Amino acid sequence: MTFHFATWPIRSSEIFFTSKLSFGLVNLKPIVPGHVLVISRRVVARFNDLSSDEVADLMLSAHTISKAIERQYNAESLTITLQDGPAAGQSVPHVHIHIIPRHHGDWMNNDDIYPEINKKETQLGVESAKRAGDAEAAEKFEQKLERMRSTAGPDSDRPPRTVDEMALEASGLRRLFSHYDDIWNTAAL
């Protein structure tokens, strides 16, 4: 079975958690270590497009994953967010939840994390479109990023992680969910 994030295929090495209707994967451009995504298996753009069963599974998966991420990254708190539609900052048209480990003082103003999420979401759109060979989508995301650069912080041009870096993180996280079905047979990776 192949999973997708919108139109882009996801490598099994990037997935660390699966449930009946959702999956967890490491982020291509995390804003902090441990920033992961929880995604519906069925590709739908908006939260209200999910069935009730998919909503329940997505939220229960986020709950399960968030507990493990908080422990694994010694977080004091978590930011858990879902951007639902382009006006809300969603750049990849597939329902997904961000789970971000937090520590006291990691942002001077706590709400400064949201522009950072928006920036990373857009960068993820660029990288995903490029991986899929979708030049038109990549150009639209690049234009949006250019408009954001005037408010960008010092690490706004942080390069995406390599496939190996993402696989290493996913492998480490996968062991936290060993009591769940391993539909990818990722233990062998």
Side-chain angles (χ1 to χ4, degrees):
M1 170 181 250
T2 302
F3 289 159
H4 287 83
F5 189 25
T7 59
W8 305 292
I10 299 298
R11 296 176 194 89
S12 62
S13 62
E14 298 169 18
I15 295 173
F16 62 87
F17 174 90
T18 58
S19 65
K20 183 178 177 185
L21 301 173
S22 306
F23 62 100
L25 79 151
V26 296
N27 198 327
L28 180 66
K29 294 190 94 171
I31 61 175
V32 296
H35 174 188
V36 299
L37 303 175
V38 185
I39 301 175
S40 63
R41 286 190 187 209
R42 187 167 64 96
V43 177
V44 296
R46 301 291 306 277
F47 185 73
N48 287 331
D49 294 334
L50 294 171
S51 70
S52 296
D53 287 343
E54 289 170 317
V55 168
D57 187 89
L58 184 71
M59 292 301 171
L60 288 171
S61 295
H63 183 255
T64 299
I65 292 168
S66 69
K67 288 189 284 188
I69 292 298
E70 189 166 9
R71 279 191 313 270
Q72 183 70 15
Y73 291 90
N74 298 315
E76 298 171 35
S77 300
L78 298 167
T79 292
I80 300 173
T81 187
L82 185 154
Q83 295 162 295
D84 190 31
Q90 180 187 19
S91 61
V92 178
H94 187 162
V95 175
H96 59 286
I97 297 172
H98 295 259
I99 299 177
I100 304 166
R102 300 294 305 272
H103 298 91
H104 184 73
D106 53 5
W107 271 268
M108 289 295 287
N109 176 359
N110 193 48
D111 286 343
D112 288 346
I113 191 171
Y114 298 107
E116 188 69 18
I117 292 169
N118 191 30
K119 197 170 18 182
K120 294 302 178 198
E121 180 85 3
T122 304
Q123 289 171 334
L124 179 62
V126 170
E127 297 301 325
S128 297
K130 285 179 179 178
R131 277 176 37 183
D134 188 343
E136 184 179 333
E139 177 60 27
K140 286 180 183 177
F141 287 125
E142 288 282 6
Q143 290 170 358
K144 182 177 178 182
L145 270 178
E146 193 56 41
R147 290 189 302 270
M148 299 168 127
R149 292 208 199 284
S150 64
T151 60
D155 68 342
S156 64
D157 293 322
R158 184 179 343 159
R161 298 191 297 170
T162 67
V163 171
D164 290 341
E165 289 169 329
M166 293 171 67
L168 182 63
E169 181 183 20
S171 177
L173 292 173
R174 204 173 291 123
R175 67 180 169 71
L176 303 175
F177 304 98
S178 61
H179 56 287
Y180 291 89
D181 290 338
D182 185 7
I183 65 162
W184 292 98
N185 191 24
T186 53
L189 296 176

